[in-house]
Amino acid sequence: MALVSRRQLLGRLGGIGAGALAAGFVPLAFAEADAAETGPQRQWAMVIDLRKCDGCKACTKACQETHHLPESFEWIKVFEVHDKQGGSFFMPRPCFQCENAPCLKVCPVAATFKTRDGVVLVDQDRCIGCRMCMAACPYGARYFNYGDPPVASNPFQHPTPEFPVPQQKGTVGKCMFCVHRSANGELPACVDACGMKAIWIGDLVEDIATNGDETVRLSTFIKENDAFRYKEELGTGPRVYYIAGHGQLLDY
Ligand code: SF4
Ligand code: SF4
């Protein structure tokens, strides 16, 4: 099903450049106005193939390393789910980057906003730590920083919504699809780290996705594999699709 090379895909997905990156992440009102004038450049989405996940949590660990998070912060959390038939499977849960994000609507200071590329970000300079967003998220995808992150000193420039490292005490953080990496043509840390190639990052506009090894036509991939969105009935419009399974495609 490979359509283009990985290099071509990352070039397409990531060929934004530093200037465009800086311009790419703007508060929702501006983003919508901009999109109305120019049309969306890309709309990030993810597909997670539960037929391939072995529950190793390499995705979780890579995310924690990339964002300098404590072990208790699982921005992509791998659940072991037990089904009614007595079987079980592993289900990684990142932030679903909801199109109709309840976390964004309840934030009283507009610290949570959506980029024109469809990623929900948190501006920790604005966040007042009220945790309304945590209560509103039906997926438990947000984490409150009760303490300082596990870095001795700040080796970075001041944290930004696109690269919120280190996290700020008294604010809320979450998965942001590694926009700091994809903007430079790199895969999100979880996609890169998954040895089973179970996680795909894609663009709904280009209609293409990759797991680092293969590239596929995103819409066809979703349709042919009957992919579903978790708790879609809530009307949140999750941007993460799951291919149902229980690890049956693992190549041991
Ligand atoms: S999964 Fe939760 S935190 Fe992420 S966009 Fe949706 S409501 Fe917000
Ligand atoms: S790295 Fe891949 S196989 Fe391991 S838990 Fe995450 S999604 Fe599953």
Side-chain angles (χ1 to χ4, degrees):
M1 187 179 266
L3 296 171
V4 296
S5 71
R6 178 180 177 228
R7 180 182 295 273
Q8 285 174 309
L9 175 64
L10 291 177
R12 286 189 199 174
L13 295 183
I16 305 170
L21 171 65
F25 301 107
V26 292
L28 182 62
F30 300 108
E32 287 180 337
D34 182 72
E37 287 175 13
T38 63
Q41 294 188 348
R42 56 184 52 72
Q43 292 294 310
W44 297 113
M46 197 172 264
V47 182
I48 301 180
D49 190 343
L50 303 183
R51 300 170 302 182
K52 290 184 172 179
C53 179
D54 68 353
C56 71
K57 298 189 178 181
C59 51
T60 308
K61 290 174 193 137
C63 173
Q64 290 169 337
E65 283 174 18
T66 297
H67 300 103
H68 295 256
L69 301 174
E71 281 186 17
S72 59
F73 277 38
E74 297 174 299
W75 283 3
I76 176 165
K77 185 178 179 76
V78 181
F79 290 94
E80 183 171 7
V81 182
H82 296 273
D83 60 31
K84 290 176 184 163
Q85 289 73 40
S88 65
F89 58 92
F90 295 103
M91 180 177 173
R93 185 249 42 219
C95 167
F96 293 151
Q97 315 301 342
C98 304
E99 288 171 25
N100 188 27
C103 61
L104 187 152
K105 291 180 182 169
V106 299
C107 181
V109 292
T112 290
F113 63 97
K114 190 189 292 180
T115 72
R116 66 182 178 185
D117 296 342
V119 179
V120 176
L121 298 182
V122 180
D123 183 344
Q124 295 196 306
D125 282 343
R126 295 185 70 93
C127 177
I128 56 173
C130 68
R131 288 173 269 175
M132 296 288 285
C133 56
M134 293 178 69
C137 173
Y139 307 113
R142 287 176 166 254
Y143 294 81
F144 184 67
N145 290 286
Y146 284 98
D148 287 315
V151 285
S153 60
N154 185 350
F156 306 100
Q157 299 292 320
H158 189 77
T160 63
E162 298 81 26
F163 189 57
V165 177
Q167 286 283 286
Q168 302 295 297
K169 183 178 177 180
T171 69
V172 172
K174 68 170 191 68
C175 154
M176 13 68 78
F177 271 19
C178 280
V179 291
H180 59 294
R181 291 171 61 101
S182 49
N184 290 316
E186 297 175 69
L187 298 170
C190 57
V191 178
D192 206 23
C194 179
M196 305 306 164
K197 297 300 164 194
I199 310 177
W200 301 71
I201 184 74
D203 176 8
L204 295 165
V205 177
E206 288 265 5
D207 194 17
I208 199 164
T210 183
N211 63 358
D213 271 3
E214 288 182 79
T215 56
V216 294
R217 183 70 64 202
L218 180 54
S219 58
T220 306
F221 190 55
I222 288 170
K223 188 174 177 189
E224 287 185 347
N225 290 293
D226 289 326
F228 67 95
R229 298 188 286 175
Y230 187 57
K231 292 187 181 175
E232 188 177 4
E233 67 276 11
L234 296 178
T236 49
R239 283 284 180 90
V240 175
Y241 294 81
Y242 286 101
I243 299 175
H246 51 276
Q248 65 266 42
L249 291 188
L250 290 170
D251 188 18
Y252 290 123

